[in-house]
Amino acid sequence: MQFTCNHPWPRAVMTILMMAGASFATAGAAPALPLPAPRNLPDNGLARTPPMGWNSWNHFAGRITDADVRAMANAMVATGMKDAGYVYVNIDDTWEGKRNAAGEIQPNEKFPDMKALADYVHAKGLKLGIYSSPGPTTCAKFEGSYGHELQDARTYAAWGIDYLKYDYCGASDVYQLTLDNQRGVFQKMGEALAKVERPIVYSLSLGNVHEPWKWGAGTGANLWRTTDDIKDNWTSMESNGFAQLAITGYVKPGHWNDPDMLEVGNGGMTADEYRTHMSLWAMLSAPLLAGNDLRTMTGETKSILLNREVIAVDQEAMPKAAHRIDTRGDMDIIARTMNDGSVVVGLFNRGKSDVDMSFDLAEIRRGKTPKPAVVRDLWAHTTAAVDKGRVSVNVPSHGVSLLRVASNDAGK
Ligand code: GLA
């Protein structure tokens, strides 16, 4: 019996089924290859800030081709995304062909020459990412890296790959879903990547069953998925995003929680919902991997993905953890202290109606008497009014008011 990672059941359901069913190794299959003894690999020094770029899955899924990847690289430059910090152009599942006689993985007919594609992307000042699985097959049932980890890492390096998303998925055809097995298969590829000369950002894709934020860094990974696959709707995005607040303490340079790729611009949510998506991911220091067609972005989509004031929140070096400071009805109030001493406050309206609210700046400074403050509205790009230490906002349904509150020492 085979389960795919993304279809037809959500990852959580599949996980329960796998745990209940104990082993999903195919009857008569060869015994599972041994896994390395657990140890903590050294930090590879990459991804000091959360990775930014684009990934093919959310928009193209199995249709992605070499020509599309080139077009996305072109668009990333032409739209100003590259200048705003987006650098990785990541090919997700379905690029894989078969192995040659020497066991080397070949791309399929959609990708005639991976090295030439990498050269093309690099010539634009961008980086190229790829996808595989520790199992014999990937989520979409293409060839995985099982038993070929080091060989594949070498092939990726020879092609010029800069980023690997490595998806547990097909490994459940070989190994039971235990913590040791999950950790072991990821460590195995982490060790392989550490042996090749080329720096390759290492991104784990898995569910949250075994809490990868607690051990992902030890496998050599730079980021780890913490959620089910995101969908282009409010419920999915809200559930993935706000759940992260429980684990923000695990985020540190080179090691990021990944609530999945962005859906901004794919059409299933309102502009307010997409602003919430971008704001929340930025407050969480989550990877910003756009998942839309970059050639056909509306002005509104661009204003969201290219909002440099919000990107700056996401990309802060050595970020402190974001935390919920209050909930009021449908309003979820989240704050993060920035390294310059300012505080970013996200007033998230998770309800169905618009909300007018005002709050005292002292509340976000944890009771300290507020100094005169400058309040920057990161979406309106204006300075918000402060009246006797209070700020008033109108937050639309499913929208956000994202404010950066700094002391105005000049006004003391
Ligand atoms: C899983 C991952 C997705 C995507 C698909 C590809 O579902 O979680 O992000 O990579 O596999 O098959």
Side-chain angles (χ1 to χ4, degrees):
M1 187 161 189
Q2 309 251 309
F3 285 100
T4 60
C5 194
N6 46 335
H7 306 295
W9 293 292
R11 198 188 280 267
V13 175
M14 186 190 70
T15 299
I16 291 163
L17 289 169
M18 284 195 286
M19 292 183 100
S23 173
F24 279 79
T26 314
L33 293 171
L35 294 170
R39 67 181 176 100
N40 287 326
L41 272 58
D43 186 346
N44 64 11
L46 304 173
R48 302 336 280 174
T49 56
M52 289 179 68
W54 177 87
N55 173 292
S56 60
W57 189 253
N58 285 354
H59 178 75
F60 289 92
R63 300 182 309 278
I64 187 68
T65 65
D66 174 290
D68 297 325
V69 174
R70 288 171 193 249
M72 291 307 123
N74 295 346
M76 208 182 261
V77 175
T79 56
M81 286 183 73
K82 180 191 163 208
D83 288 342
Y86 293 86
V87 64
Y88 292 98
V89 182
N90 291 350
I91 308 166
D92 207 283
D93 205 352
T94 78
W95 65 268
E96 310 89 337
K98 293 295 169 200
R99 295 184 182 277
N100 66 16
E104 292 160 345
I105 185 76
Q106 309 294 303
N108 61 36
E109 62 289 348
K110 296 191 296 158
F111 290 87
D113 186 339
M114 207 54 102
K115 169 87 171 70
L117 178 56
D119 289 346
Y120 182 88
V121 169
H122 292 156
K124 306 237 156 245
L126 300 169
K127 293 174 187 283
L128 186 65
I130 212 162
Y131 168 100
S132 190
S133 170
T137 59
T138 65
C139 282
K141 298 295 169 205
F142 285 70
E143 185 80 15
S145 293
Y146 181 66
H148 294 272
E149 292 80 0
L150 183 56
Q151 192 173 29
D152 285 358
R154 290 197 171 120
T155 300
Y156 302 152
W159 284 342
I161 298 296
D162 307 290
Y163 186 115
L164 172 66
K165 173 174 168 183
Y166 203 51
D167 197 331
Y168 190 79
C169 243
S172 47
D173 292 337
V174 184
Y175 300 102
Q176 292 180 29
L177 186 65
T178 62
L179 170 59
D180 281 352
N181 286 344
Q182 203 163 57
R183 191 186 159 132
V185 296
F186 287 129
Q187 184 184 318
K188 194 168 187 184
M189 182 53 96
E191 289 177 354
L193 292 173
K195 285 190 184 128
V196 303
E197 289 298 310
R198 195 173 179 82
I200 298 178
V201 170
Y202 186 30
S203 159
L204 310 188
S205 186
L206 67 170
N208 56 13
V209 183
H210 294 301
E211 306 184 323
W213 46 91
K214 293 186 176 162
W215 48 266
T219 69
N222 299 108
L223 58 157
W224 39 82
R225 275 279 295 282
T226 53
T227 61
D228 282 353
D229 286 12
I230 196 165
K231 305 232 167 18
D232 187 18
N233 63 60
W234 166 259
T235 311
S236 166
M237 184 277 291
E238 179 192 34
S239 145
N240 275 19
F242 288 97
Q244 304 304 296
L245 289 167
I247 53 171
T248 51
Y250 293 91
V251 162
K252 54 179 183 295
H255 306 298
W256 310 103
N257 290 334
D258 174 8
D260 211 354
M261 302 162 299
L262 297 173
E263 291 283 8
V264 176
N266 278 334
M269 287 185 250
T270 66
D272 281 320
E273 290 170 340
Y274 284 140
R275 277 187 281 272
T276 291
H277 188 5
M278 185 78 181
S279 302
L280 189 50
W281 265 234
M283 291 206 74
L284 295 165
S285 307
L288 296 179
L289 295 170
N292 56 320
D293 188 339
L294 304 180
R295 294 166 298 193
T296 54
M297 288 193 280
T298 62
E300 193 152 60
T301 297
K302 283 188 200 161
S303 74
I304 298 171
L305 288 174
L306 288 161
N307 184 331
R308 288 182 183 236
E309 293 189 84
V310 176
I311 291 171
V313 175
D314 182 78
Q315 290 291 298
E316 189 182 51
M318 309 286 294
K320 298 188 171 64
H323 55 271
R324 177 180 279 121
I325 55 171
D326 202 3
T327 49
R328 292 188 200 170
D330 290 324
M331 296 296 297
D332 221 342
I333 306 170
I334 295 165
R336 186 169 125 213
T337 303
M338 305 295 285
N339 292 327
D340 65 0
S342 65
V343 180
V344 178
V345 187
L347 301 127
F348 292 91
N349 179 357
R350 299 173 67 173
K352 293 202 166 89
S353 317
D354 296 8
V355 169
D356 283 314
M357 70 170 275
S358 73
F359 68 98
D360 199 319
L361 290 175
E363 294 169 39
I364 62 156
R365 289 167 176 261
R366 306 202 150 229
K368 285 187 210 150
T369 312
K371 292 179 187 168
V374 180
V375 179
R376 178 81 180 162
D377 183 323
L378 302 189
W379 285 110
H381 304 294
T382 55
T383 301
V386 182
D387 182 16
K388 298 194 185 72
R390 292 189 78 79
V391 177
S392 300
V393 291
N394 172 274
V395 190
S397 163
H398 291 184
V400 61
S401 178
L402 193 66
L403 306 173
R404 186 162 178 160
V405 182
S407 296
N408 177 9
D409 291 331
K412 260 196 277 195

